[in-house]
Amino acid sequence: MWMEKVGCDVILEAIGGSLHAHRVILAACSDYFRCMFTSGMRECRQTHVTLPSLLASELEALINCSYSGALPLSWSCVFEITSTALQLQHQPALHLCLEFMQREINPYFCLDVASFAEAYALAELLDVSHDYVLRQFQNVASTSKFKDLPAAQLLRYLHSHSLCVSSELVVFKAVVAWIQAKPKKRIELTKELMKTIHFPLMTYKEFKEVQSLKMWSDHGLEELYEVIFEDFCGNEAGPQSQYRTYLPKESLVVIGGDQTLDDLGSRRISRELWFANSIRQHTGIRKATEWRRLVEMPDQGRFRHEVAVLKGELYVFGGKKYYGTYDTLNSVYRYDPLQNSWNILPEMQEKRCSFSTVVLDGKIYAIGGHCDPNNIESVERYCPFANTWSYTTPLDLPLSAHAANILHGQIFVSGGLNDGFQCLASMFVYHPQTGSTYLANMVNCRAQHRMEVLGGRIYVAGGITMGESQAPLDLLACESYDPMADCWTVFSSLPVPHVGAGSAVLEGKFYLLGGYSQEDYSDTPIIHRYDPATQRWENTGKTPGPNNDIRVSVLSLPPHLRL
């Protein structure tokens, strides 16, 4: 009707044209028009309403959104349309504009988003844009817009513990590029800016680039360079505790597991939760993870259990409480990090260890597992709304020590041990209503491994495989699955075994924590992180204590815990 101007009862006059519309539609979407047409203002009796400060093209986009609920957006127009939506208090359009900027933010436009958000007091958008700049600093610093950044804002970024950089050389190059963009005005800020760089953390090769800079002699900064050089050289005799602290927005949390005690002759099952508060960048590529104790589980410790996160809360399921034959659990607990409280939930219908859990459509699935003496083929589903468990279609075979994850709204399950405790290379999609659909096999059969989703692909790492004599062997080879091509590709191998490890994805990287070697039973108290961008694993420190058959999740924790 609007396109054909049928029943339109108002004409809006804007810069560059006039637009027909229905008052009731405008009032339903815009607080500005609702007030205009319902509060006795003179415009409520006029057939023509003049809006002298608005462009007809921007107004047309909002009127079209009022009827269709859609808004064609691009970076060339989103700021203008958002401004108009704010002026007219058009909530549907404003929601779409803010959603676009948060979803499509990139290194080139993030500083524009930050400036716009600050100008219009859009607190949430401002936080998103600042967070993006800090965590994509190297890419942002390479753009031309970075050189126009106000000095005060640059200093705030450089002092932030959320600044994510691969080395101090990245920070140094960004500072130099900013200064050299307007040297006459900015050279006086050099000393203050250089204080934000941890020169002792540079390698000799990196510091050579600092030395080669002509800026030191060209602008009379020889004395400042001497101070920087002394600071760098002081690293040789100085304490090894110097580092740059990076605070991820969310935290890796280690739940339960077991560990070898200091006497190396006994083990302890953990009921503790630990969180990674920060990652510390030491000299060169050396990193360490700072762990803090979060809380204890309300009951006994457990290992070979499972965890899931739903609506910001942590769920802990099953596992084993000891090393005996009849120590498998079916208990379930939920932890609220904001309230720092535990709730006891209904028990699973079967006791399970060495199983998998996934979250799909607001429900949690417990898949397969083991309960002495047999593996389990059943799958059960927990509904938080009803607070109940129910069975879904079982697996095709009893399965334990497998891995499961969600991609494109489907449950993928890889590897594991069958009822004869043989390693499998299988990969299948599990449908709760209809069962399993098998896909291409992995390159290697494997069990007790980890599987995570990154960038539309599935990554598999760690675990064991079977040798020619059917004896279990450590598996260092890693592979990733492309669901579009239904094929596997080998990627960088692990440097050490990670059998029975924990894993999670944080900020687009695959973290693999702890585990052990099946071949010599030595612990691997190391955290390895795989970055798809660099296609390599890097060591980011050690596990907090619990190390074997641990589980890991990612949680948003209250700010007071992160200080």
Side-chain angles (χ1 to χ4, degrees):
M1 292 178 66
W2 172 63
M3 298 293 290
E4 298 174 358
K5 301 180 182 179
V6 176
C8 293
D9 54 3
V10 66
I11 299 174
L12 303 177
E13 302 283 355
I15 300 171
S18 58
L19 300 160
H20 294 70
H22 301 85
R23 295 172 189 266
V24 66
I25 299 296
L26 296 178
C29 296
S30 163
D31 294 342
Y32 177 89
F33 285 121
R34 184 181 302 114
C35 181
M36 175 182 287
F37 295 143
T38 64
S39 61
M41 298 175 66
R42 65 181 183 182
E43 285 86 355
C44 68
R45 297 182 296 273
Q46 295 177 340
T47 57
H48 286 69
V49 174
T50 302
L51 302 170
S53 62
L54 298 181
L55 291 174
S57 57
E58 295 166 8
L59 181 60
E60 183 178 17
L62 265 62
I63 294 175
N64 182 55
C65 179
S66 301
Y67 289 90
S68 68
L71 194 60
L73 292 171
S74 66
W75 286 112
S76 63
C77 66
V78 67
F79 297 113
E80 291 78 8
I81 292 178
T82 307
S83 178
T84 304
L86 285 164
Q87 184 176 343
L88 298 180
Q89 301 169 56
H90 195 294
Q91 296 304 320
L94 180 60
H95 173 77
L96 292 172
C97 289
L98 297 181
E99 185 183 65
F100 172 88
M101 284 190 271
Q102 293 188 31
R103 184 182 68 250
E104 301 295 330
I105 192 168
N106 61 49
Y108 188 75
F109 285 103
C110 60
L111 294 173
D112 294 330
V113 173
S115 298
F116 182 85
E118 187 171 17
Y120 285 93
L122 300 169
E124 183 178 347
L125 183 62
L126 184 61
D127 287 345
V128 169
S129 58
H130 284 333
D131 185 70
Y132 185 89
V133 173
L134 289 165
R135 301 185 196 282
Q136 297 288 330
F137 185 78
Q138 184 170 358
N139 294 326
V140 175
S142 66
T143 67
S144 58
K145 294 180 181 180
F146 177 81
K147 297 173 183 177
D148 296 325
L149 197 62
Q153 185 58 62
L154 175 59
L155 283 165
R156 281 195 289 271
Y157 288 145
L158 295 176
H159 282 296
S160 173
H161 283 319
S162 296
L163 182 66
C164 182
V165 290
S166 57
S167 74
E168 294 303 309
L169 187 60
V170 170
V171 187
F172 177 76
K173 287 181 175 180
V175 166
V176 170
W178 185 85
I179 292 170
Q180 291 182 336
K182 297 178 182 178
K184 291 183 180 179
K185 293 177 61 176
R186 296 174 175 176
I187 201 70
E188 62 187 27
L189 295 170
T190 304
K191 183 176 181 180
E192 185 177 5
L193 290 167
M194 292 297 167
K195 287 180 180 179
T196 67
I197 302 167
H198 300 262
F199 288 100
L201 302 185
M202 287 186 177
T203 63
Y204 286 102
K205 182 179 179 181
E206 288 173 335
F207 195 75
K208 281 186 177 180
E209 293 196 43
V210 177
Q211 288 179 312
S212 64
L213 194 68
K214 292 183 178 180
M215 183 179 75
W216 305 122
S217 57
D218 289 354
H219 297 283
L221 298 172
E222 291 89 349
E223 288 187 14
L224 176 59
Y225 170 74
E226 289 301 323
V227 172
I228 290 172
F229 181 69
E230 289 178 12
D231 186 29
F232 171 74
C233 292
N235 186 42
E236 288 187 0
Q240 295 303 307
S241 59
Q242 295 188 69
Y243 51 80
R244 176 181 286 276
T245 298
Y246 172 63
L247 290 176
K249 191 173 184 179
E250 297 179 299
S251 297
L252 293 171
V253 179
V254 168
I255 305 103
D258 82 332
Q259 66 186 102
T260 304
L261 299 182
D262 292 338
D263 62 11
L264 302 179
S266 56
R267 304 188 69 83
R268 181 175 72 86
I269 300 170
S270 174
R271 52 184 293 210
E272 299 166 335
L273 275 67
W274 294 80
F275 72 94
N277 184 59
S278 69
I279 297 174
R280 294 170 174 175
Q281 175 76 50
H282 292 265
T283 305
I285 62 172
R286 287 197 311 116
K287 295 179 177 64
T289 299
E290 176 214 355
W291 290 100
R292 295 184 182 182
R293 190 164 167 238
L294 179 60
V295 71
E296 287 189 343
M297 287 184 274
D299 203 348
Q300 66 265 57
R302 61 187 68 205
F303 65 105
R304 297 181 189 168
H305 52 300
E306 266 302 333
V307 299
V309 175
L310 179 60
K311 295 183 178 178
E313 295 182 315
L314 173 70
Y315 291 74
V316 182
F317 309 89
K320 289 181 71 71
K321 63 181 179 181
Y322 200 62
Y323 307 99
T325 304
Y326 301 106
D327 297 317
T328 304
L329 304 168
N330 61 348
S331 54
V332 181
Y333 298 98
R334 180 176 62 212
Y335 175 67
D336 183 345
L338 297 180
Q339 301 297 324
N340 191 31
S341 62
W342 289 93
N343 287 323
I344 301 173
L345 301 180
E347 295 178 338
M348 294 185 291
Q349 299 182 76
E350 294 190 50
K351 295 180 178 181
R352 301 173 189 267
C353 70
S354 301
F355 63 112
S356 292
T357 55
V358 295
V359 177
L360 180 64
D361 298 331
K363 298 179 177 64
I364 303 173
Y365 292 79
I367 303 167
H370 180 81
C371 184
D372 292 314
N374 300 314
N375 283 346
I376 301 168
E377 71 267 21
S378 68
V379 180
E380 46 187 309
R381 174 174 58 200
Y382 174 71
C383 175
F385 181 76
N387 196 29
T388 57
W389 288 93
S390 59
Y391 283 110
T392 59
T393 305
L395 302 175
D396 290 352
L397 75 167
L399 191 62
S400 68
H402 52 287
N405 217 313
I406 301 292
L407 177 61
H408 303 321
Q410 294 184 306
I411 302 172
F412 288 79
V413 181
S414 67
L417 299 171
N418 63 17
D419 219 15
F421 296 97
Q422 295 175 313
C423 272
L424 303 175
S426 59
M427 175 73 151
F428 61 88
V429 172
Y430 171 75
H431 308 280
Q433 290 78 30
T434 59
S436 304
T437 301
Y438 283 84
L439 306 169
N441 280 352
M442 294 185 287
V443 176
N444 299 284
C445 63
R446 68 175 75 217
Q448 294 180 271
H449 57 292
R450 303 304 299 168
M451 182 169 80
E452 297 293 346
V453 173
L454 279 169
R457 296 181 70 93
I458 294 174
Y459 289 79
V460 171
I464 60 171
T465 190
M466 292 294 183
E468 292 182 3
S469 63
Q470 293 303 298
L473 301 173
D474 296 327
L475 185 55
L476 303 182
C478 302
E479 47 195 303
S480 69
Y481 177 74
D482 180 350
M484 300 299 292
D486 186 29
C487 68
W488 291 88
T489 304
V490 173
F491 69 96
S492 304
S493 295
L494 289 165
V496 293
H498 283 276
V499 179
S503 70
V505 170
L506 178 66
E507 297 180 347
K509 296 172 184 175
F510 182 174
Y511 283 78
L512 195 60
L513 294 84
Y516 60 95
S517 166
Q518 180 66 38
E519 295 176 25
D520 63 14
Y521 298 103
S522 61
D523 287 349
T524 306
I526 298 172
I527 306 165
H528 279 111
R529 178 175 72 182
Y530 180 75
D531 185 350
T534 61
Q535 298 183 4
R536 64 181 178 88
W537 293 96
E538 61 177 340
N539 185 326
T540 60
K542 294 187 175 182
T543 50
N547 185 76
N548 301 337
D549 294 309
I550 58 177
R551 289 298 173 260
V552 181
S553 67
V554 174
L555 288 176
S556 294
L557 298 177
H560 72 270
L561 295 175
R562 307 292 306 279
L563 297 177

